Amino acid sequence: MTGQSILDVIGGTPALWLDRMVAARGLDGRILAKLDYLNPGFSKKDRAALGIIELAETQGALHPGQTVVELTSGNMGTGLAIVCGQKGYPFVAVMSRGNSVERARMMTALGAEVILVDQIAGSVPGQVSGADLAEVDRVAQQIVAERGAFRADQFHHVGNAQAHFETTAAEIWTDSAGTVTAFADFAGSGGTFGGTVAGLRAKKAQVRGYVVEPEGAAALSGEDVTHADHPIQGGGYSMATLDFLRGTSVDGYLSVTGEVSRDIARALAREEGIFGGFSAGANVAAALELLAGPEKGGVVAVVICDSGLKYLSTDLWD
């Protein structure tokens, strides 16, 4: 792929069959891993960032030179820093101090103004809760009002899910030669799950969709939240509803512990050479569980959401 701008090479990421991992565990079926950590910003959020900004431009909601503001765990902020930098929009990323420092440094290097928000009392560094996110959202709203800015609003802006409908789903379908039977994804904004499942079902209505959540914070499945703090950054915020899941049939919910996510992320690096983050470990752990259960003999697609380079200051690689 050759482009005139870095924006031209967002998406179109390679995919890899995780046959080594599946065979080593004696499972029946296949896992297709979409390597979105190879996007320019090292995460799947580059797709959503480009989708939101370009749709806002088309709709006239974003004006030339206007400031863009968004709350982020770091990945959407990195994507927006790249997109806004190329298009000439000042960008302000608002992020909890509970997220890894690599993310803030990367956004700053890409030209973003980064505002770090203290965690609420009792929160654990490295473990961002829904309450922490709510405080980040409050600060983001305040900055939008003060600066007359455009809010990218990844939890609600249709450009998020639309990007995954148009690109991620289409690529997974092609990468799997139309053999994919299920898609599983760790829920953050829900845009990847909602958009990708809808896109895959437009190709084949029988494709099943599974939402992945942290154990103890599986609010979307209807469970009581007993452990809102967890190390799987970028999602699992104990939200009972997500806009992008409304109207999308969910075939099942899986919960994964931080420990299992960590172990599988490390196994991905050793066994498959994939240097992904915590949520990549959660997604592959869920896919392995599915092949041992309801998707035995099937083809489960997952996204490797971001790079392990964003977690060097955490215990993921200790």
Side-chain angles (χ1 to χ4, degrees):
M1 180 185 296
T2 302
Q4 298 299 315
S5 158
I6 194 70
L7 305 185
D8 297 334
V9 297
I10 290 175
T13 55
L16 180 70
W17 293 107
L18 304 186
D19 292 340
R20 290 171 180 263
M21 293 191 75
V22 172
R25 289 154 183 81
L27 298 173
D28 181 13
R30 304 188 83 184
I31 298 172
L32 182 72
K34 188 66 172 162
L35 306 184
D36 264 25
Y37 78 116
L38 298 179
N39 271 308
F42 305 154
S43 92
K44 67 178 185 178
K45 292 290 189 176
D46 289 7
R47 297 177 188 262
L50 183 61
I52 289 170
I53 295 302
E54 290 194 334
L55 184 57
E57 290 175 327
T58 299
Q59 294 176 337
L62 177 60
H63 308 295
Q66 187 177 11
T67 296
V68 175
V69 174
E70 182 56 337
L71 65 77
T72 180
S73 67
N75 286 333
M76 177 59 86
T78 298
L80 285 168
I82 292 171
V83 174
C84 292
Q86 293 298 300
K87 288 178 170 287
Y89 303 109
F91 172 60
V92 181
V94 189
M95 188 174 78
S96 170
R97 290 188 184 276
N99 290 297
S100 60
V101 296
E102 292 89 344
R103 296 164 181 247
R105 290 174 179 171
M106 185 174 181
M107 288 187 288
T108 300
L110 289 165
E113 176 186 348
V114 180
I115 295 176
L116 297 177
V117 180
D118 291 337
Q119 291 182 271
I120 64 170
S123 291
V124 180
Q127 300 183 12
V128 179
S129 68
D132 289 325
L133 187 70
E135 177 61 11
V136 175
D137 183 55
R138 184 191 67 78
V139 174
Q141 290 183 43
Q142 180 179 329
I143 296 169
V144 168
E146 291 173 350
R147 305 195 188 186
F150 169 77
R151 174 73 183 270
D153 203 7
Q154 61 175 302
F155 279 81
H156 304 99
H157 197 288
V158 68
N160 179 349
Q162 182 174 307
H164 292 291
F165 179 92
E166 294 175 350
T167 67
T168 310
E171 291 171 27
I172 286 174
W173 185 256
T174 300
D175 294 339
S176 72
T179 63
V180 63
T181 61
F183 178 72
D185 194 60
F186 183 71
S189 69
T192 306
F193 179 86
T196 303
V197 167
L200 289 172
R201 287 175 177 162
K203 301 287 188 180
K204 182 180 179 181
Q206 294 77 20
V207 172
R208 291 171 289 280
Y210 296 88
V211 169
V212 184
E213 298 182 273
E215 187 172 295
L220 293 168
S221 69
E223 294 183 11
D224 292 335
V225 176
T226 59
H227 190 67
D229 296 329
H230 58 84
I232 313 173
Q233 296 182 27
Y237 296 122
S238 306
M239 296 178 178
T241 59
L242 291 172
D243 277 5
F244 297 123
L245 268 59
R246 291 194 178 99
T248 300
S249 175
V250 178
D251 294 284
Y253 296 85
L254 299 100
S255 59
V256 181
T257 66
E259 291 75 16
V260 168
S261 299
R262 183 184 297 109
D263 290 345
I264 296 298
R266 292 172 177 177
L268 272 170
R270 293 192 306 269
E271 298 175 35
E272 300 282 7
I274 295 173
F275 195 53
F278 265 112
S279 56
N283 281 345
V284 174
L288 291 167
E289 184 178 336
L290 287 168
L291 290 186
E295 295 299 326
K296 181 179 180 181
V299 176
V300 182
V302 297
V303 174
I304 305 302
C305 308
D306 66 0
S307 170
L309 291 170
K310 298 190 177 189
Y311 300 87
L312 295 178
S313 64
T314 74
D315 64 358
L316 180 55
W317 306 114
D318 284 353

